Structures are given as structure tokens and as C-alpha cells.
Amino acid sequence: MKTIPFLNASAWIDAENEADPNNEIYQDVTYPKELLYSDRMYERLMIFQPDASEAVQIAAKAQHICRWKIARESYPMDRVGYLKWREDLKKFHAKMTSEILKKAGYEDDFIDRVSFLIEKKLLKKDEETQLLEDVICLVFLEFYLDPFVHKHDTEKLKNIILKTWNKMSDKGHQEALKIDYTPENLQLIKDSLGL
């Protein structure tokens, strides 16, 4: 049973993401890109760990809230610029979500916990941060790996897959191998991991 604050916060997160000027077509339907990502994150979390806490559920939905507002191009197009962009995005997502949660009536401790998760603190040490990271990686592998395959060479792809794999837990690995990949992408994953 979802609480009123949760339902309100979810609706407000969705409303923010619905304003995304970038679209993605999925199964012949056009969606605002970050709204679709948010839905995928939440749905994957509920499949992967249906008893996930309310804090993780909100963190999953708000993982990329209004991501388009901080453009990658506004940072140097190198590794340092990329990492700075990612770090600033995490803080931006956490701040926006905190404001929504405050408006929804959540306590400060809960809001701090959601921010902690969105900023992916203590990865590999905090169980819920790891859960969120597993879901992020699963959503990437299921929905976003294929577009990457058409943009990058094999060595770069293997590196991306290996980095993704190394962020995940054993449970995440097991779930990732159940995804319905194209035969080519499954082979690429196996080659990347030496399976």
C-alpha cells in the first residue's frame, strides 16, 4: 500500500520528467526520454527486489530527474569533464528530489537517505546503494546497450560492459544474464566477461 506522500512525490517526479524536450520512441510510442527512463528504473526495481524500501523506490524514480538541464556539452569533452558532469548531475538530482520530498511532507532523515542513495554513496558497502546500482546497470543492459553497440567499436564496448559488470552484485549478475539480448549482444557480453 503506497502512502500519500509517496504517491504525491512520484507524481511530481513524473511531472518534472514529462517536461523533457528529448523524446525516445519505444514500441512505436513516443515518450519524454527521462520519464521513460524513470519508469524503466522503477519497474526493474520492482521485478528485481519487490520489497525495496520506499527510499530506494523514490531514488530509482528520480535517478535522472531533469537530467537534460545540465548538458554534457557544457563541460570539457574529456574524461575529467565527464566525471565532473556526472558528479554535478548526482548533486542536482539529489537536490531536486529533496525539494519534492519536502513538499510531499517527508521527514529530513528520509530525505537525507534518498539523497545519499541518488549520490550513490558507499557503493559496494551500503546494501541499498548497491541495489540501486544493480538496477541502473540492469536497465542500461536491457534498454541502452543496443544503441551503444551501433555507436562504438568492439574494444570500447567490451570496456563499457566490463565496467558495468564490476559495479554489480552477484545477484545483479544473475539477473543480467536472464535479459533477452540479441544473439550478437549476448555474445559481446560473454566475450567481454570471458564466459
Side-chain angles (χ1 to χ4, degrees), residues 39-188:
D39 288 347
R40 285 169 168 169
M41 283 289 295
Y42 185 73
E43 283 163 19
R44 170 48 78 178
L45 174 66
M46 292 293 93
I47 292 165
F48 186 58
Q49 190 146 332
D51 63 346
S53 73
E54 208 164 294
V56 180
Q57 290 180 46
I58 288 172
K61 278 193 75 66
Q63 187 62 30
H64 278 185
I65 189 169
C66 294
R67 190 182 183 88
W68 67 91
K69 291 187 177 181
I70 301 181
R72 170 67 185 97
E73 295 73 32
S74 59
Y75 291 76
M77 296 305 283
D78 55 18
R79 179 85 182 141
V80 175
Y82 173 76
L83 293 173
K84 177 80 173 84
W85 173 66
R86 290 292 300 266
E87 203 50 44
D88 287 351
L89 273 174
K90 282 193 262 186
K91 288 176 182 154
F92 169 71
H93 297 321
K95 184 173 183 292
M96 276 208 74
T97 308
S98 294
E99 287 165 5
I100 286 172
L101 295 179
K102 210 169 214 24
K103 188 168 75 161
Y106 280 102
E107 299 290 330
D108 287 347
D109 285 354
F110 181 88
I111 295 170
D112 290 345
R113 180 64 181 159
V114 172
S115 291
F116 176 96
L117 293 169
I118 288 175
E119 292 187 44
K120 295 200 273 190
K121 292 183 177 174
L122 294 182
L123 185 60
K124 297 284 185 191
K125 292 178 183 163
D126 183 281
E127 276 186 28
E128 290 190 323
T129 302
Q130 185 58 55
L131 169 58
L132 186 63
E133 186 64 40
D134 279 344
V135 172
I136 291 165
C137 293
L138 290 166
V139 166
F140 168 72
L141 290 168
E142 185 170 4
F143 297 106
Y144 301 98
L145 174 64
D146 198 56
F148 263 77
V149 167
H150 302 291
K151 281 190 220 163
H152 300 292
D153 63 61
T154 304
E155 282 317 301
K156 173 139 189 170
L157 288 166
K158 284 183 175 179
N159 191 30
I160 289 168
I161 290 165
L162 201 53
K163 279 183 177 167
T164 301
W165 203 258
N166 288 339
K167 290 178 190 171
M168 298 170 81
S169 67
D170 290 342
K171 185 185 172 195
H173 293 157
Q174 289 164 20
E175 194 70 16
L177 291 172
K178 294 179 196 167
I179 291 170
D180 186 19
Y181 303 102
T182 64
E184 296 80 8
N185 288 353
L186 181 59
Q187 192 55 53
L188 176 65

